[in-house]
Amino acid sequence: MSSSDIFIGETIGTAVLILLGGGVCAAVTLKASKARNAGWLAITFGWGFAVLTAVYISAPLSGAHLNPAVTLALAIKDNDFSNVATYWSGQLLGAMIGATLVWLAYYGQFHAHLTDREIVGGPGAQATKTKAVEAQETGAGPVLGIFSTGPEIRNAVQNLATEIIGTVVLVLAVLTQGLNDNGNGLGTLGALITALVVVSIGLSLGGPTGYAINPARDLGPRIVHALLPLPNKGGSDWSYAWIPVVGPLIGGAIAAGIYNVAFA
């Protein structure tokens, strides 16, 4: 795979991942959406199908890492870090593009939601603790959960541990079951296995933090949230933003170490 193929494949694949994954969060969260309040099952399966679709689209070009933690784990497994920066750049750009497309697809719903007094309160209200799918912690706006993750209980050690554990499960599944014949990305059957693992992680481990398990998936859309001209959008919760970046990277490194010791 050339550097251009890797960058293009990861950009397109991650954009599709975030478009569909963030899209299901928007569908469940926004007040004028037909899927409003569809619940956690809809979100977990929506993200699983998003992974499946994105992998099938991008695998021929880049191997469909779509996740800096997966890229890091494969680099550690093979002791080859030459393409890490290219993968990460495409993933971050793709995540930002996907988040922007979610905003465009739900443009009217975002405006209706964020100008509704039941959601944002009275005139000048910026911060809200409205309970839906959105992040509810101090510093997080009422639609931040469409773009990025947030904890139900803010405890840095627990939140970091949750993200590490979830990512170890994901990356071990990729390394042991998901790789293509070349071992440099996800294969056809591996895409289905990985998508089902993502659903399982969401159902079993997603409750505490919203299961980022992917630094680009969280950071790219959080940047977009900070930049978009959304009324009454509130904060982007940057004090928490390091956890869904650092946690998955640690988890990916641990999974690669386990794989090299136990499976290689």
Side-chain angles (χ1 to χ4, degrees):
M1 294 179 289
S2 68
S3 294
S4 60
D5 283 345
I6 290 171
F7 183 79
I8 293 170
E10 292 298 292
T11 300
I12 294 172
T14 312
V16 171
L17 171 66
I18 301 305
L19 171 61
L20 299 181
V24 72
C25 291
V28 173
T29 301
L30 296 175
K31 192 168 184 179
S33 166
K34 292 181 181 295
R36 168 80 164 168
N37 293 327
W40 191 246
L41 280 176
I43 289 176
T44 54
F45 277 94
W47 274 103
F49 293 140
V51 169
L52 188 68
T53 305
V55 169
Y56 282 142
I57 288 173
S58 61
L61 282 175
S62 66
H65 294 191
L66 310 181
N67 183 338
V70 171
T71 299
L72 178 62
L74 287 170
I76 293 172
K77 177 181 80 74
D78 298 330
N79 194 29
D80 180 3
F81 294 83
S82 60
N83 289 317
V84 168
T86 305
Y87 274 101
W88 285 6
S89 299
Q91 290 155 3
L92 183 61
L93 176 61
M96 294 177 69
I97 292 171
T100 304
L101 292 174
V102 171
W103 169 63
L104 290 172
Y106 282 89
Y107 180 85
Q109 282 73 22
F110 272 111
H111 186 271
H113 193 84
L114 289 173
T115 55
D116 189 316
R117 290 196 175 186
E118 290 184 10
I119 303 297
V120 299
Q126 294 292 320
T128 176
K129 291 184 173 61
T130 300
K131 285 282 185 180
V133 180
E134 55 265 48
Q136 298 113 25
E137 299 303 316
T138 302
V143 296
L144 180 60
I146 294 170
F147 296 89
S148 56
T149 60
E152 287 297 304
I153 295 175
R154 188 169 293 253
N155 181 306
V157 174
Q158 179 201 334
N159 301 152
L160 186 66
T162 300
E163 289 295 329
I164 291 171
I165 292 167
T167 309
V168 168
V169 174
L170 170 65
V171 176
L172 273 179
V174 169
L175 294 178
T176 57
Q177 304 294 327
L179 296 182
N180 56 30
D181 292 339
N182 295 323
N184 59 5
L186 287 166
T188 302
L189 180 59
L192 177 59
I193 293 171
T194 302
L196 293 174
V197 170
V198 169
V199 173
S200 178
I201 292 170
L203 292 173
S204 300
L205 299 173
T209 63
Y211 73 118
I213 57 175
N214 181 337
R217 169 264 177 276
D218 196 275
L219 179 59
R222 195 182 297 268
I223 293 171
V224 170
H225 176 270
L227 295 175
L228 282 176
L230 293 166
N232 303 313
K233 67 180 179 180
S236 301
D237 199 8
W238 288 107
S239 64
Y240 179 78
W242 67 275
I243 288 177
V245 173
V246 174
L249 290 175
I250 294 174
I254 292 172
I258 294 171
Y259 179 83
N260 284 342
V261 170
F263 296 96

